[in-house]
Amino acid sequence: MDVRDHNRKAWDQCVAEGNRWTLPVSREEVDRARQGDFEILLTPTRPVPADWLPDLKGMRTLCLAAAGGQQAPLLAAAGALVTVFDNSPGQLAQDRLVAERDGLSLKLVEGDMADLSELGDGSFDLIVHPCANAFVPEVQPVWNECFRVLRPGGELLAGFTNPLRYLFDLERMEQGELEVRNAIPYSDLQHLSAAFLQKMIDAGEALEFGHSLEDQIGGQLQAGFVLSGMYEDRYPEQDEDPLSRFVDTFIATRAVKPERH
């Protein structure tokens, strides 16, 4: 099946249903960001450390697979020159809504995060890439493209899912039980039962892929990045996620494209 097309429609449906990752920031949050008071997320709950963010004034910033009217408007309000690149027209519409509401300048581009060919080499100073690469089958092309479109000395701030989350049987985990069943790397297409997979497809749920840490972290190194920071995160307690009671299952990294490579 065409995973990109399915996941595009799934995220458009998330917008229609008011999924929390599709809800735009408020006018008040944008006003505070104009004064330098804001936080952005790469993972479910833990804000990006302030010292990970450079001076954003005039900073050419790519919000990669990061539409939804959340990170991009705040970065633009803080002075960044923001391009939002996302697979979902519905998500991009949320950024457009905030930009028109609050007088922000955002460039919106629909496309595949693994193919940034319409963006020039070295055309960005900063990339903000929240948890999203679980929705593509291969992650190395994403890191390679991030490296290409960043200028030397540019930064990549990325969030992603720890693959240990995908070890557990999804059907049982939805019932609050933890049963190790799957191998890593993981694919909904290969590891779910045919009946449960069809149920997800019929419901319009996005399909996910659990990339190994070698692909997630080692993949950034292979692309040429130098890692300079990381932290872990988990779902909030109110989500009643059974795995988050025991361990963090999300990782954020800060990586730099060397001045010479």
Side-chain angles (χ1 to χ4, degrees), residues 21-121:
W21 305 119
T22 73
L23 300 178
V25 294
S26 67
R27 187 187 302 273
E28 290 72 25
E29 289 174 286
V30 170
D31 288 341
R32 290 198 299 271
R34 286 190 165 109
Q35 305 302 316
D37 178 15
F38 70 98
E39 293 179 339
I40 61 171
L41 296 173
L42 297 171
T43 55
T45 65
R46 187 171 171 183
V48 172
D51 60 5
W52 279 24
L53 292 171
D55 181 357
L56 292 170
K57 300 295 184 183
M59 185 70 60
R60 298 170 303 166
T61 300
L62 174 62
C63 287
L64 180 59
Q70 299 182 352
Q71 294 91 353
L74 298 180
L75 293 166
L81 306 176
V82 179
T83 297
V84 188
F85 193 102
D86 199 277
N87 188 40
S88 164
Q91 281 282 75
L92 289 166
Q94 300 297 73
D95 286 284
R96 183 180 298 110
L97 181 154
V98 180
E100 293 175 352
R101 183 193 71 194
D102 298 334
L104 299 170
S105 178
L106 295 176
K107 181 180 179 181
L108 307 178
V109 183
E110 181 184 337
D112 179 356
M113 72 178 86
D115 179 9
L116 307 182
S117 55
E118 63 184 284
L119 305 178
D121 295 358

Side-chain angles (χ1 to χ4, degrees), residues 55-224:
D55 181 357
L56 292 170
K57 300 295 184 183
M59 185 70 60
R60 298 170 303 166
T61 300
L62 174 62
C63 287
L64 180 59
Q70 299 182 352
Q71 294 91 353
L74 298 180
L75 293 166
L81 306 176
V82 179
T83 297
V84 188
F85 193 102
D86 199 277
N87 188 40
S88 164
Q91 281 282 75
L92 289 166
Q94 300 297 73
D95 286 284
R96 183 180 298 110
L97 181 154
V98 180
E100 293 175 352
R101 183 193 71 194
D102 298 334
L104 299 170
S105 178
L106 295 176
K107 181 180 179 181
L108 307 178
V109 183
E110 181 184 337
D112 179 356
M113 72 178 86
D115 179 9
L116 307 182
S117 55
E118 63 184 284
L119 305 178
D121 295 358
S123 53
F124 293 96
D125 307 301
L126 174 68
I127 297 176
V128 175
H129 178 47
C131 286
N133 65 34
F135 302 110
V136 293
E138 301 292 335
V139 72
Q140 189 62 50
V142 178
W143 302 137
N144 292 345
E145 284 288 81
C146 286
F147 191 84
R148 181 184 64 80
V149 302
L150 270 179
R151 66 163 174 82
E155 300 178 12
L156 166 65
L157 308 183
F160 47 89
T161 307
N162 189 317
L164 67 81
R165 171 165 288 279
Y166 297 99
L167 290 172
F168 299 91
D169 182 88
L170 179 58
E171 298 175 68
R172 299 290 295 275
M173 191 152 61
E174 288 187 350
Q175 299 168 9
E177 301 175 5
L178 296 174
E179 177 183 328
V180 174
R181 179 175 292 273
N182 304 316
I184 305 298
Y186 168 87
S187 165
D188 277 346
L189 295 173
Q190 298 175 4
H191 290 82
L192 293 178
S193 68
F196 193 76
L197 174 62
Q198 191 60 51
K199 178 182 176 182
M200 286 185 62
I201 292 172
D202 291 344
E205 296 185 35
L207 299 175
E208 295 190 30
F209 303 85
H211 306 296
S212 69
L213 289 179
E214 182 174 350
D215 286 340
Q216 292 283 25
I217 296 176
Q220 293 184 56
L221 300 175
Q222 182 177 326

